[in-house]
Amino acid sequence: MANKFAIITGASTGIGFELATLAAKDGYDILVVADEPLVEAAAADFKQFGTDVQSVEADLSTIEGVDRLLAAAGGRQIDLVCANAGRGLGHGFLDQSVADWRKVVDTNVVGTLYLLHKTLPAMVARNEGKVLVVGSIAGFIPGSFQAVYNGTKAFVDSFTDALRNELKESDGVTITTLMPGPVETEFFDRADMMDTSVGTNPNKSDPVDVAKDGWDALMAGKASIVSGWKNKLQVAAAHITPAAVLAEQHRKMAEPGTAD
């Protein structure tokens, strides 16, 4: 058993899988979670690095799912949390079912907040711990045809900034926000966005690179990191571009039927 323990959510594929790989390589025992059976195969892969690996299948859009994850930790001290689990949803808001958009809000916002609310007090009490929350540059852009998702990421980006300030006296606890742009993962397929320009764009970021950016920033105790120089430029432009213009630009990327 290693002397450091990490929880990584959404670890079956994509950024979460790569973050878990980095944690295991860095000597962390890890507890990985996803809402699909594939997390067990991912866990088997992580074991090659020689640390203890536990996996749990749980729906982190529910309080019960987060509680199930925490119960699997068995009361062990949690040194690091990567709150990566997230869900997207394409198409127009009025065309989405309540159940579908509620799942996005509950996964990206409620589940993330509840996980932090349960794990941070012990870190603050001992003034030691690291948290990585995966936000998005989508939080800076009104997301036409992806409105709920972008709204949840705006919440996450803002919330982590505020929480970081609230906990500034606990200088041994760091909260890092990773903000990637579009990444080559199953995200767009699961969000029903493979008929869009952004969903079929072959130039999306590699999750290996995004995870490495996030991990390096986390280890350095940085407040936030925008992954990729193009995304850094996009965020800078978003601060000075009118919201209506940003929304129209997003429409061209995310409106159904815009795929090349």
Side-chain angles (χ1 to χ4, degrees), residues 200-212:
T200 56
N201 184 350
N203 298 315
K204 294 191 281 289
S205 299
D206 187 325
V208 173
D209 297 332
V210 174
K212 185 65 163 58

Side-chain angles (χ1 to χ4, degrees), residues 9 25 41 62 126 136 139 160 164 168 254-255:
T9 70
K25 282 183 175 179
T62 68
R126 65 176 186 270
S136 174
T160 51
R164 194 177 298 115
K168 68 179 183 178
E255 186 174 12

Side-chain angles (χ1 to χ4, degrees), residues 8-17 32-35 39 60 82-86:
I8 300 98
T9 70
S12 56
T13 60
I15 298 170
F17 180 93
V32 294
V33 60
D35 63 354
V39 72
L60 299 185
C82 291
N84 164 74

Side-chain angles (χ1 to χ4, degrees), residues 141 234 241 244-254:
I141 305 167
Q234 192 170 356
T241 304
V245 174
L246 292 172
E248 185 62 27
Q249 290 174 347
H250 198 281
R251 181 188 190 108
K252 293 174 181 176
M253 295 191 301

Side-chain angles (χ1 to χ4, degrees), residues 95-232:
D95 298 323
Q96 299 166 351
S97 71
V98 173
D100 284 345
W101 63 251
R102 177 72 184 271
K103 187 90 168 181
V104 175
V105 173
D106 287 345
T107 302
N108 299 1
V109 176
V110 179
T112 298
L113 264 60
Y114 184 58
L115 177 62
L116 298 186
H117 200 254
K118 297 293 283 187
T119 55
L120 273 169
M123 292 184 179
V124 171
R126 65 176 186 270
N127 195 31
E128 184 180 29
K130 293 182 179 296
V131 173
L132 179 71
V133 182
V134 178
S136 174
I137 67 166
F140 297 98
I141 305 167
S144 306
F145 295 96
Q146 206 178 359
V148 175
Y149 172 79
N150 284 38
T152 63
K153 290 303 182 179
F155 179 96
V156 168
D157 293 347
S158 174
F159 173 79
T160 51
D161 280 339
L163 183 60
R164 194 177 298 115
N165 179 266
E166 289 184 16
L167 301 181
K168 68 179 183 178
E169 303 299 328
S170 302
D171 54 2
V173 178
T174 61
I175 299 172
T176 302
T177 311
L178 171 60
M179 294 176 281
V183 184
E184 191 58 68
T185 67
E186 293 79 5
F187 173 91
F188 293 97
D189 183 44
R190 293 173 177 172
D192 193 20
M193 295 183 68
M194 294 309 293
D195 60 346
T196 68
S197 175
V198 66
T200 56
N201 184 350
N203 298 315
K204 294 191 281 289
S205 299
D206 187 325
V208 173
D209 297 332
V210 174
K212 185 65 163 58
D213 285 345
W215 186 260
D216 289 347
L218 175 65
M219 291 298 107
K222 292 183 178 178
S224 61
I225 176 71
V226 176
S227 180
W229 67 269
K230 290 182 179 179
N231 296 321
K232 288 180 171 65

